Amino acid sequence: QVQLTETGGDSVEAGGSLTLSCATAKYTYYSNCLAWFRQVPGKDREGVASIHTGSGSTNYVDSVAGRFTISQDDAKNTINLQMNSLTPKDTAMYYCATITNYGMGCGSWNEATYWGKGTQVTVS
């Protein structure tokens, strides 16, 4: 069973920073595609950033490129999302997910396979 556990959500002021973490088991983490999504009520879930933990390749949605950084911590089987210059538009429930792994690259945003329960980020 795949388990993904998000932590780090909080309420912050606009312009502030926050780091989210997603912990999982080694067999899920190793050389796999992990990603962050976000969702606000009434809207579709949006892919934010992904990382292939084998190659280290990353991908970002345009709206967060340059502000958010996804990274991996191999010692903890964890991925992180460093979020800077936050705006109220970043307010959402943030979810960690696995994405179809094509070897050296990750599938598209609509190829998520397993989800965590989410962590709330509120920017005011």
Side-chain angles (χ1 to χ4, degrees), residues 100-119:
T100 301
N101 181 3
Y102 289 107
M104 294 302 291
C106 298
S108 61
W109 298 123
N110 62 3
E111 294 182 80
T113 50
Y114 296 96
W115 298 92
K117 294 182 179 181
T119 186

Side-chain angles (χ1 to χ4, degrees), residues 56-116:
S57 63
T58 59
N59 185 42
Y60 299 90
V61 69
D62 288 347
S63 60
V64 307
R67 299 189 299 124
F68 291 11
T69 302
I70 191 170
S71 63
Q72 62 188 88
D73 185 337
D74 295 344
K76 297 181 179 179
N77 300 326
T78 295
I79 64 165
N80 301 305
L81 185 68
Q82 173 70 41
M83 305 184 294
N84 298 326
S85 302
L86 286 163
T87 76
K89 290 183 178 181
D90 295 314
T91 295
M93 182 71 78
Y94 282 72
Y95 297 90
C96 181
T98 56
I99 292 182
T100 301
N101 181 3
Y102 289 107
M104 294 302 291
C106 298
S108 61
W109 298 123
N110 62 3
E111 294 182 80
T113 50
Y114 296 96
W115 298 92

Side-chain angles (χ1 to χ4, degrees), residues 20-69:
L20 306 181
S21 296
C22 171
T24 188
K26 185 173 183 178
Y27 62 85
T28 299
Y29 175 88
Y30 181 77
S31 194
N32 201 2
C33 292
L34 296 171
W36 288 97
F37 289 74
R38 64 187 180 185
Q39 188 173 26
V40 298
K43 292 190 176 182
D44 293 336
R45 201 167 290 188
E46 173 191 38
V48 174
S50 68
I51 187 166
H52 190 290
T53 59
S55 67
S57 63
T58 59
N59 185 42
Y60 299 90
V61 69
D62 288 347
S63 60
V64 307
R67 299 189 299 124
F68 291 11
T69 302

